[in-house]
Amino acid sequence: MFEEGQYFAPVVADPSGALTVQLGHDHPGFADPVYRSRRDALATLAAAWQPGQPVPTAPYTEDEHKVWRTVCEELEAKHETYACRQFLDGKARLGLPADHVPQLAEVTDRLVTLTGFSYQPAAGLVPLREFYGALADRRFWATQYIRHHSVPLYTPEPDVLHEVVGHGSTLADDGYAALYEAAGRAARRVETDQALQFVSRVFWFTLEFGVVRETDGLKAYGAGILSSPGEITEFRGMRIEPLDLVAMGTADYDITLYQDHLFEAASFGQIGDVVGAFWDSCDDDSIADLIRST
């Protein structure tokens, strides 16, 4: 889970070690004590995990499975219309169930055989360097909770639908997986906070909210768009500019809103040529030079 998301729902521990997720007043689940209790329980479950252990099993309820089914049904036809070919291929390879929330361990078993990626559970805040650094080892920090049932087609923060339907389908593709790993290596290579933020923002505007031109129109390749039934039908109407490392690496954004500023790749190959090559070679000095160029 991205550090930025925790400004909306920080997680705090009490003296016994139990965690409380502090939802904002405008969060859809703020006034629902049952949902809040579920969020706290799942966060506490994830926090008990240690590297080398199996991912803990989240005891999903029928209401949570219903939310999963609703979102998957909404996304099915929309993916065929708006998702790039690379994503559709990864989605087909992964073969997620549409009728229930899969466990992260189940998805990991499949991903490991496809690209070597695996999930590890996040209770809440994962510092940027730790989140991205794990990608260098083909490990992905993921939440296990699901969005509130009152608004199944929207979430103000990354949930298991985003992590699995969005990122899982991309992690199942070799081209995508290479980009994730390159981002992780870049995060480990840079030392300054300024450079790390630049790497993070480039990731945000590509692997989270990137769009690409295909022969039949503009398509989404970012997991943030591809896991949102609402945003996936809106992105073509946003402000869209050509792929630009400096613009992406210095742009601000709000994680809780539809992204209204997007960057278009001319092809999926260009993402590797431009963004992948940047992550493969960047360091503190080269990023500082890019920032000064603005």
Side-chain angles (χ1 to χ4, degrees):
M1 166 180 270
F2 283 105
E3 183 173 358
E4 291 89 339
Q6 288 310 302
Y7 298 142
F8 196 81
V11 177
V12 298
D14 66 20
S16 72
L19 300 187
T20 299
V21 180
Q22 298 184 328
L23 301 182
H25 286 78
D26 51 351
H27 190 286
F30 176 78
D32 183 342
V34 175
Y35 180 78
R36 299 194 70 161
S37 177
R38 291 286 297 151
R39 287 290 299 269
D40 295 347
L42 290 173
T44 301
L45 183 72
W49 175 82
Q50 296 293 323
Q53 295 180 344
V55 177
T57 297
Y60 292 113
T61 67
E62 179 52 36
D63 284 343
E64 289 166 335
H65 289 307
K66 184 178 179 180
V67 171
W68 178 274
R69 290 194 293 270
T70 298
V71 175
C72 287
E73 182 178 353
E74 283 286 329
L75 284 173
E76 186 61 30
K78 292 176 180 179
H79 280 166
E80 292 300 322
T81 300
Y82 298 106
C84 73
R85 174 48 50 190
Q86 204 93 1
F87 175 86
L88 293 174
D89 290 345
K91 178 182 176 181
R93 293 181 80 191
L94 188 57
L96 292 172
D99 62 339
H100 68 277
V101 188
Q103 296 294 330
L104 291 184
E106 298 174 53
V107 186
T108 287
D109 288 344
R110 183 63 175 150
L111 284 175
V112 166
T113 65
L114 294 173
T115 62
F117 259 95
S118 61
Y119 280 115
Q120 49 195 36
L125 171 65
V126 177
L128 287 183
R129 198 172 297 277
E130 186 176 347
F131 176 87
Y132 287 109
L135 298 178
D137 299 323
R138 299 214 166 196
R139 294 181 287 111
F140 191 96
W141 287 100
T143 57
Q144 291 178 283
Y145 64 83
I146 202 162
R147 61 197 64 184
H148 194 261
H149 61 82
S150 65
V151 282
L153 304 186
Y154 168 75
T155 178
E157 54 190 331
D159 69 343
V160 70
L161 272 155
H162 169 74
E163 315 283 36
V164 173
V165 175
H167 286 293
S169 299
T170 59
L171 294 172
D173 175 82
D174 292 313
Y176 270 112
L179 289 168
Y180 279 87
E181 183 181 350
R185 291 197 306 267
R188 284 188 174 170
R189 188 183 313 116
V190 300
E191 297 179 1
T192 67
D193 289 342
Q194 181 185 51
L196 181 61
Q197 287 288 346
F198 194 101
V199 168
S200 172
R201 284 182 167 87
V202 171
F203 186 98
W204 178 263
F205 286 108
T206 56
L207 294 178
E208 284 288 353
F209 288 93
V211 296
V212 61
R213 182 67 57 178
E214 293 189 338
T215 55
D216 56 344
L218 190 65
K219 302 298 179 80
Y221 71 89
I225 299 175
L226 291 163
S227 59
S228 171
E231 199 152 6
I232 197 172
T233 62
E234 300 292 331
F235 74 87
R236 288 176 175 170
M238 301 305 182
R239 172 188 170 196
I240 298 174
E241 298 182 6
L243 204 65
D244 184 313
L245 287 172
V246 175
M248 293 187 296
T250 56
D252 293 325
Y253 58 87
D254 185 337
I255 192 174
T256 67
L257 302 174
Y258 283 4
Q259 300 305 299
D260 60 1
H261 185 192
L262 305 174
F263 295 88
E264 173 189 335
S267 66
F268 198 88
Q270 188 195 26
I271 304 164
D273 293 342
V274 175
V275 179
F278 162 71
W279 282 328
D280 280 337
S281 62
C282 67
D283 58 22
D284 296 280
D285 291 338
S286 66
I287 290 174
D289 288 342
L290 286 173
I291 294 171
R292 279 194 294 269
S293 73
T294 62

